[in-house]
Amino acid sequence: MDLSGALRAIADCSVLTDADAVAGYVADWTGRWRGGPAIVARPRTVEAVSAVVRACAAAGVPVVPQGGNTGLVAGAVPPAGAVVLSLRGLDAIGEVSDGAVVAGAGVTLANLESFAAARGLTCGLSLASGESATVGGAAATNAGGAEVLRYGTARARIAGLRAVLPDGAVLDRRRPPPKDNTGYDLVGQLVGSEGTLAVITDVTWRLDPAPRARTVLALAFPSPDAAVAAVPVLRGLPGLLALEWSDGAAVARVAGHLDAPAPLPTDGCWVFAELDGPLDAAGAVDDLLPDDRIAVAEGEDRLRLWRFRARTTEAVAAAGVPVKLDVGVPVESLAPARAAIVDAVAGASPDVEPVLFGHLAEGNLHVNLLARAGGRIPEQLADRLEGVVLERVLAFGGTVSAEHGIGRAKRAWLGRQRGPEQVALMRRIKDAWDPAGLLNPGAVLDPEVGRRPSS
Ligand code: 2HG
Ligand code: ZN
């Protein structure tokens, strides 16, 4: 039997091979990265996931695990001939115990948060893509988002997990004892491994008490430098949940996209602060800016303000196919690093517009580059732009991927960031988990470099 026949014989699993049906699984949603052709397997149980992995291992065919396919570094874009293993069908949510709930890998973050909210809790992971992004994808990529400052990245939210190993065996650490200091941390190793070590099928997710009230403040600083200079004061705001920033031009772009006027001037740089508490907690910002540069909203109204940050990715996508660089530098270097990045982009091409926004508290800047004429930036120019920007970031002691991971898009930069010894150690870790190299090959690590001879 050929592989698709073997996959079709698996109980609780549907299989797609038709080009139209697989189209949404082989390209990333920005349209920049396209892979395949590929078969898509959609198991609904852990047993079926294991059977799919075993069938692929027997056939020597690579497996690319995929959640909501909202990643931005082509980590779930399959190489030709691979099987995309979509985990979206594993969407059950269990009961809360010990402050955590076991959720199937395919549960969306929005559904997890609704489940939590109904119990006065929060999952603590806030992504603009939460309607599609899944718990399994968040675990596999150690997702961050807006509230990292309060709740940490996905790593801090994960108390346990279950995963299928590359030979089909099941590793079950869903409910490790709350205090358990035995041996290597296998759960921790899988978090952020981008589907290259095992297939995460369930995640035990910590839930925290939900904020009492949420207030959003938008502050329209006259310049990015002024915004960065205010960080020490802003970090002291009582109940701070999130501290984000967006260039005025990025806010104006969202306003245009939504056909909704921006409530503050867009000449400089906006900062968005979300607070766990009522409006009066916002008083502390009165000394920073005049009243006509501050907007405050609470309850459901806050989403009307927050959308000028949260919907930036969508507004950018509406204008063309962006080159996305997700960089971070120490907060004290943010102002000069941002200026150097803008200069580098302008020096590389006058035809490219940088759209700058991100997570101010962590020194994280999403550099989205758009062709001014619309459409896509030619790949050669994209490579040059990536080079000039990421070199600047490294010179400031920053990171070439603060939040989105390495995937396939940033693989060439892993060695520059982490050095050859650490990459060689990562390779040995990969080989230990996945000796045949069939799990998401080409993500994180170069599939050709450092492979052990097979005999
Ligand atoms: C965000 O912070 C996401 O909104 C997406 O990480 C960033 O589109 C991007 O570059
Ligand atoms: Zn982000």
Side-chain angles (χ1 to χ4, degrees), residues 150 210-216 238-241 274-282 296-299 302:
R150 167 64 72 91
R212 295 159 294 153
R214 289 176 188 261
T215 302
V216 170
L240 191 62
L241 288 162
E274 185 174 31
L275 308 180
D276 169 358
L279 274 180
D280 53 355
V296 187
E298 59 183 345
R302 79 188 198 283

Side-chain angles (χ1 to χ4, degrees), residues 84-162:
V84 174
L85 176 46
S86 171
L87 282 307
R88 280 182 236 181
L90 278 77
D91 58 1
I93 307 183
E95 296 300 320
V96 181
S97 89
D98 286 336
V101 64
V102 178
V107 172
T108 63
L109 293 176
N111 282 348
L112 182 65
E113 184 63 5
S114 306
F115 173 92
R119 291 157 181 79
L121 303 168
T122 178
C123 76
L125 187 71
S126 168
L127 303 187
S129 56
E131 294 288 336
S132 310
T134 60
V135 163
T141 59
N142 185 26
E147 294 174 356
V148 167
L149 159 72
R150 167 64 72 91
Y151 299 107
T153 61
R155 183 177 299 287
R157 314 303 313 151
I158 292 172
L161 52 73
R162 181 160 62 161

Side-chain angles (χ1 to χ4, degrees), residues 338-391:
R338 181 198 167 284
I341 289 168
V342 171
D343 276 358
V345 171
S349 170
D351 305 326
V352 170
E353 182 185 343
V355 183
L356 303 172
F357 59 104
H359 311 285
L360 181 56
E362 293 89 42
N364 190 176
L365 184 60
H366 294 312
V367 180
N368 279 223
L369 303 174
L370 279 172
R372 288 187 198 277
R376 72 174 54 230
I377 296 174
E379 279 304 317
Q380 228 181 351
L381 175 57
D383 283 350
R384 202 163 75 236
L385 288 159
E386 181 174 293
V388 294
V389 170
L390 298 187
E391 289 295 352

Side-chain angles (χ1 to χ4, degrees), residues 104-290:
V107 172
T108 63
L109 293 176
N111 282 348
L112 182 65
E113 184 63 5
S114 306
F115 173 92
R119 291 157 181 79
L121 303 168
T122 178
C123 76
L125 187 71
S126 168
L127 303 187
S129 56
E131 294 288 336
S132 310
T134 60
V135 163
T141 59
N142 185 26
E147 294 174 356
V148 167
L149 159 72
R150 167 64 72 91
Y151 299 107
T153 61
R155 183 177 299 287
R157 314 303 313 151
I158 292 172
L161 52 73
R162 181 160 62 161
V164 170
L165 304 179
D167 63 358
V170 176
L171 166 75
D172 195 348
R173 291 280 289 167
R174 278 174 294 179
R175 288 284 181 191
K179 209 171 177 205
D180 177 21
N181 204 9
T182 55
Y184 296 146
D185 177 9
L186 301 178
V187 170
Q189 187 141 95
L190 293 184
V191 176
S193 64
E194 302 191 41
T196 62
L197 305 181
V199 181
I200 296 171
T201 58
D202 312 80
V203 182
T204 311
W205 199 277
R206 293 194 170 99
L207 303 175
D208 277 23
R212 295 159 294 153
R214 289 176 188 261
T215 302
V216 170
L217 272 158
L219 304 149
F221 287 93
S223 69
D225 291 12
V228 175
V231 169
V233 175
L234 295 169
R235 284 204 75 121
L237 288 175
L240 191 62
L241 288 162
L243 190 61
E244 307 273 296
W245 64 329
S246 273
D247 266 20
V251 175
R253 180 178 286 282
V254 180
H257 172 66
L258 299 177
D259 201 12
L264 301 173
T266 55
D267 52 350
C269 181
W270 283 31
V271 171
F272 299 82
E274 185 174 31
L275 308 180
D276 169 358
L279 274 180
D280 53 355
V285 298
D286 286 350
D287 295 342
L288 285 175
L289 285 169

